[in-house]
Amino acid sequence: MLLRSLLLLLVIVGAAPLCRADDGYRLWLKYDLVADAAQRTQYRAAAQFISSNGSDVVLKTAAAELQRGLQGLLGQPVPLVAKAEGAKRGILLAIDPSANISGGAASKDGYRISMQGRNLVVTGRSGAGVLYGVYALLRQVQTGQPLAGLNLTSSPRIQYRLLNHWDNPNGTVERGYAGSSIWKWYELPQLLDPRYTDYARANASIGINGVAINNVNASARYLTAEYIQKIKALAGVMRPYGIRVYLSVFWAAPKVIGGLKTSDPLDAQVKQWWAAKSDDLYKEIPDFGGFLVKANSEGEPGPQDYGRTHADGANMLATALGAHDGIVMWRAFVYKAGSADRFKQAYEEFKPLDGTFAPKVLVQVKNGPIDFQAREPFHPLFGAMPKTPLVLEVQITQEYLGFASHLVYLAPMFKECLDSDTQTKGPGSTVAKVVDGSLDQHRISGIAGVANIGSDRNWTGHPMGQANWYAFGRLAWDYTLTSKAIATEWTRMTLTREPQAVATIVDVMDRSRDIYVRYTTPLGLHHIMGQNIHYGPEPWLAEAGRPDWTAVYYHKADSVGLGFDRTARGSNALSLYSPGVQQQWGDPKTCPLNYLLWFHHVGWRQPLSTGRTLWNELATRYYTGADSVTWMQQRWASVKPQVDAALHADVTARLDIQRREALWWRDACVLYFQTFSKQPIPAPFAPPTRTLADIKTLVNLYQLK
Ligand code: GCW
């Protein structure tokens, strides 16, 4: 009896590694054994060896990753051999610079997977192309697709696919909610955290090919000789994964660390300083990507300090890069204090500069005109600067979308922007076509996502936040993919392959962003969140460092109605859009309800297309939005048996927070706006049980120092 119990114990302990809790570290690259034995047998038959044709460093990574992946998925090693073995079926990896893979400037990253005789061949025009092909192949196996007869060609639509880290030298992350920075500056360059490699793998697996490693509110320190050595060490980890390193630069660096009297871009010594700095960087990091710049924005120095323009600044840096293969990404996120409508500022400063930027300069524009709100109309600069390549900047970190506490899947938001029709060159002039360069025949194109990654074991704090990192990469590669397709892929690789559970999770993810908008900023409300922290509701905020940091500046609630009049009667920001867009959005009857209060001051009793008055529609959205979080909780509860227990519990707890805070938002907003509308909460909804004064105490507590 004792012996039997002992044996049983041994069996249980022996099996333990298989059912250990999932801490999320492996992201979507789990490579767990394919559960279906028949499928496993088929995969094993198709992958008896791997062979590759060269010594390219990224190609080597591709072969190693394929070996690693297949070893896990198939439960047996797959040998790397010098030559295909006639009698066996295997996978050949090949760089072929002249391979016919369609796509524009970005096609050197493209790949083809096809059958050649009995073997599967992954062809790329570069090592990176093969690496992306390998990840695509592994994805087939991870999601349970057949390999036989596989014929896949894919090229990224956008050339520069970057993560932007807002990480500071002291280890903090601006707007980061997943712990501290993953970069350990005090350990570099001697000590390389293995996590850097895992980070590079994750990025490469979704096609990201560049990382700006530091905050755009940049420290000059990164340009010192000491830090260049550290950056060089990081670049060395990224290189085998086809990833280039970029730096955010502090405009006043020539003064602060260079000992010059000025940082004027037209000053000869300043020009020389930057040129020498760029040579230093390229000497140590031959594939250095280039510079990202936030200048004359939110207190950062810039060329305007010397009476120069953004173009003067950007072009000087482009010249400093000289013959090196690098670019300058100059951010258009600018807004001076005291303007009547912040919405118009970037446009007014940048549109006149179109055509004056050097060829290596891209202007980086946020998806919307204000600042990463839960829903914004597309930025009016898209389509308005045809002579300048524009990088689309989106935020993966959830600054205004509930941090790492709320489950909000962002692919629908990214796509909403990409799919928006600027109509600047007739119908179909989408933001996506501006960004990929096809609308205006640009040679270079870029997209950037502000990272949601930190030192938390699971990288993103909220386990479901991983899907946003994943979705950003997949859309940067191919923005025609649907949000649901991406969510399905991610869920199958990360959470479960059980079809019903996958469908449930994908449904929750796909609706989550709309739900968030409903309980926070429905009908086009924006910028009514907690001051500075950007969390929780604070629609009553009327005093701040600047008027355009308050909430009342944006919602303009009064006894008549709600919303910012941006028509010709108001700020006329609408005039920045093409005539077709103006026509649709300029009339409250045809303006999509989602953007209504972005452009119109609407009467409380005004009937909307839903048949309800503005007030009733507003209240209905706040209530149904908050109720939908209960729906999310129920749906999530239903997949418990199919999802790792620890991960399930983690998300369950965060959904609890989300529910509580959705009620906070709802009550704060309906009670506050009710002081203007003077109307009852419409049936069937019950009025909040707390008062506005109660709610205001909550906010104060939250912001207590
Ligand atoms: O979203 C706002 C943030 C700032 C940020 C700024 C920017 C990096 O609140 O924290 O600074 O935008 O994008 O420059």
Side-chain angles (χ1 to χ4, degrees):
M1 188 62 195
L2 185 68
L3 194 65
R4 268 183 54 193
S5 325
L6 261 179
L7 272 177
L8 194 67
L9 193 72
L10 274 179
V11 169
I12 292 169
V13 171
L18 281 179
C19 48
R20 70 163 178 233
D22 185 352
D23 63 12
Y25 184 80
R26 294 178 302 157
L27 297 159
W28 48 87
L29 298 173
K30 294 213 156 73
Y31 301 153
D32 284 336
L33 189 69
V34 171
D36 183 322
Q39 227 176 17
R40 214 161 55 222
T41 308
Q42 280 175 12
Y43 291 142
R44 282 177 177 171
Q48 294 169 42
F49 66 87
I50 298 168
S51 149
S52 90
N53 76 345
S55 57
D56 178 274
V57 58
V58 186
L59 181 67
K60 285 196 166 148
T61 308
E65 188 69 20
L66 188 57
Q67 272 197 299
R68 173 180 180 162
L70 292 177
Q71 159 105 46
L73 288 156
L74 310 188
Q76 62 180 34
V78 181
L80 188 60
V81 299
K83 265 179 60 204
E85 296 174 25
K88 291 184 177 165
R89 292 167 55 196
I91 303 173
L92 313 182
L93 307 182
I95 298 181
D96 175 1
S98 58
N100 180 19
I101 297 166
S102 63
S107 68
K108 70 167 185 22
D109 287 350
Y111 60 82
R112 189 175 52 230
I113 308 176
S114 55
M115 296 299 297
Q116 260 176 36
R118 50 200 303 135
N119 297 322
L120 207 52
V121 187
V122 181
T123 312
R125 286 172 53 186
S126 64
V130 177
L131 181 61
Y132 299 136
V134 158
Y135 281 116
L137 182 62
L138 286 168
R139 203 152 53 222
Q140 294 283 316
V141 180
Q142 287 175 279
T143 55
Q145 315 298 316
L147 292 185
L150 197 61
N151 198 345
L152 261 182
T153 307
S154 185
S155 261
R157 290 172 189 267
I158 298 173
Q159 185 182 356
Y160 295 100
R161 303 173 299 276
L162 265 69
L163 282 190
N164 286 183
H165 285 265
W166 286 356
D167 295 21
N168 299 315
N170 67 1
T172 58
V173 180
E174 182 153 350
R175 311 302 177 186
Y177 313 105
S180 47
S181 173
I182 57 173
W183 316 126
K184 298 178 176 171
W185 294 106
Y186 42 90
E187 292 178 357
L188 287 164
Q190 287 83 1
L191 187 54
L192 293 169
D193 188 335
R195 192 161 184 152
Y196 304 151
T197 310
D198 290 328
Y199 164 84
R201 283 178 63 226
N203 277 336
S205 77
I206 50 177
I208 287 170
N209 63 359
V211 292
I213 53 179
N214 62 314
N215 192 353
V216 289
N217 294 328
S219 160
R221 178 188 300 243
Y222 295 97
L223 293 167
T224 60
E226 184 195 356
Y227 267 70
I228 291 176
Q229 289 307 314
K230 296 172 190 280
I231 298 161
K232 175 184 179 177
L234 283 181
V237 179
M238 304 298 152
R239 190 168 299 120
Y241 291 87
I243 297 170
R244 298 169 72 178
V245 165
Y246 297 70
L247 266 189
S248 298
V249 292
F250 181 61
W251 183 259
K255 265 173 90 176
V256 174
I257 57 166
L260 300 187
K261 292 209 168 51
T262 175
S263 296
D264 179 349
L266 302 193
D267 179 274
Q269 280 187 309
V270 171
K271 290 183 190 177
Q272 208 181 5
W273 189 87
W274 281 107
K277 194 51 76 182
S278 121
D279 284 343
D280 290 350
L281 281 160
Y282 278 94
K283 193 166 140 260
E284 301 296 336
I285 312 165
D287 58 350
F288 179 65
F291 301 126
L292 172 62
V293 191
K294 172 176 178 177
N296 292 121
S297 164
E298 299 186 327
E300 292 296 316
Q304 292 176 345
D305 304 350
Y306 305 93
R308 315 298 183 195
T309 67
H310 288 291
D312 292 331
N315 295 347
M316 184 276 287
L317 284 183
T319 307
L321 287 172
H324 301 300
D325 175 24
I327 54 169
V328 175
M329 289 160 290
W330 192 273
R331 294 176 86 232
F333 178 69
V334 294
Y335 60 108
K336 290 204 182 68
S339 85
D341 190 358
R342 173 173 165 187
F343 192 115
K344 295 158 69 173
Q345 299 248 320
Y347 184 99
E348 285 172 349
E349 274 190 50
F350 277 85
K351 158 89 181 158
L353 299 176
D354 190 30
T356 67
F357 288 101
K360 284 184 171 202
V361 176
L362 300 97
V363 170
Q364 183 157 316
V365 183
K366 289 189 182 182
N367 58 287
I370 300 296
D371 189 15
F372 297 136
Q373 298 299 294
R375 173 168 270 132
E376 297 203 24
F378 69 89
H379 200 299
L381 277 175
F382 291 112
M385 294 185 66
K387 296 189 184 120
T388 314
L390 300 184
V391 177
L392 168 63
E393 178 180 315
V394 297
Q395 208 180 33
I396 310 171
T397 190
Q398 292 170 233
E399 175 179 356
Y400 296 97
L401 286 114
F403 292 7
S405 306
H406 293 219
L407 191 172
V408 188
Y409 173 54
L410 298 176
M413 185 170 87
F414 300 158
K415 277 192 71 87
E416 192 171 294
C417 176
L418 285 159
D419 293 345
S420 292
D421 193 350
T422 69
Q423 299 188 40
T424 41
K425 288 200 169 161
S429 311
T430 58
V431 171
K433 287 188 187 160
V434 174
V435 172
D436 75 7
S438 61
L439 194 68
D440 305 301
Q441 283 85 48
H442 288 300
R443 225 175 20 84
I444 52 179
S445 56
I447 185 165
V450 180
N452 62 345
I453 298 156
S455 61
D456 278 5
R457 181 69 190 161
N458 73 359
W459 302 88
T460 55
H462 200 307
M464 304 294 280
Q466 294 181 359
N468 293 331
W469 178 8
Y470 184 83
F472 169 76
R474 298 289 287 133
L475 285 174
W477 183 276
D478 182 1
Y479 55 73
T480 68
L481 295 171
T482 67
S483 302
K484 277 197 156 179
I486 297 170
T488 305
E489 229 174 63
W490 177 81
T491 303
R492 288 171 71 88
M493 291 193 284
T494 313
L495 299 178
T496 174
R497 293 218 350 224
E498 199 281 316
Q500 186 54 47
V502 172
T504 302
I505 295 167
V506 169
D507 191 26
V508 168
M509 289 169 74
D510 202 48
R511 292 170 197 255
S512 58
R513 185 278 192 133
D514 258 326
I515 292 171
Y516 183 84
V517 170
R518 274 182 170 252
Y519 66 74
T520 59
T521 48
L523 293 170
L525 283 172
H526 50 283
H527 211 285
I528 58 170
M529 68 292 151
Q531 176 170 205
N532 299 331
I533 184 174
H534 297 171
Y535 198 78
E538 203 174 351
W540 46 84
L541 180 67
E543 304 259 337
R546 294 166 46 159
D548 54 4
W549 288 344
T550 68
V552 299
Y553 176 97
Y554 297 95
H555 64 64
K556 305 220 185 293
D558 57 20
S559 59
V560 178
L562 181 65
F564 199 136
D565 186 353
R566 293 189 165 103
T567 68
R569 284 179 306 278
S571 79
N572 209 15
L574 252 175
S575 67
L576 310 185
Y577 290 99
S578 62
V581 174
Q582 282 185 47
Q583 210 184 6
Q584 200 204 353
W585 295 357
D587 180 349
K589 290 199 190 64
T590 51
C591 180
L593 286 186
N594 284 335
Y595 299 143
L596 185 65
L597 304 176
W598 271 100
F599 297 107
H600 301 280
H601 191 70
V602 182
W604 293 113
R605 290 167 192 274
Q606 178 69 40
L608 305 183
S609 54
T610 56
R612 299 187 189 95
T613 64
L614 172 69
W615 167 253
N616 285 350
E617 185 64 35
L618 189 76
T620 300
R621 289 192 183 208
Y622 274 115
Y623 274 82
T624 54
D627 287 348
S628 298
V629 181
T630 309
W631 171 83
M632 290 168 76
Q633 290 177 293
Q634 287 161 352
R635 301 312 290 149
W636 182 253
S638 78
V639 300
K640 187 169 179 195
Q642 279 79 40
V643 174
D644 173 83
L647 185 140
H648 191 272
D650 182 315
V651 174
T652 301
R654 286 178 210 264
L655 282 168
D656 266 349
I657 301 171
Q658 188 167 354
R659 166 73 182 155
R660 196 173 44 116
E661 296 185 346
L663 292 173
W664 176 27
W665 269 97
R666 181 196 77 183
D667 290 355
C669 293
V670 298
L671 290 172
Y672 169 72
F673 290 126
Q674 196 175 37
T675 64
F676 299 94
S677 80
K678 311 269 190 237
Q679 295 191 39
I681 302 292
F685 308 115
T689 50
R690 46 191 170 179
T691 66
L692 187 54
D694 295 339
I695 297 270
K696 286 188 179 175
T697 353
L698 270 182
V699 176
N700 289 336
L701 278 180
Y702 209 87
Q703 299 197 329
L704 224 51
K705 291 240 162 54

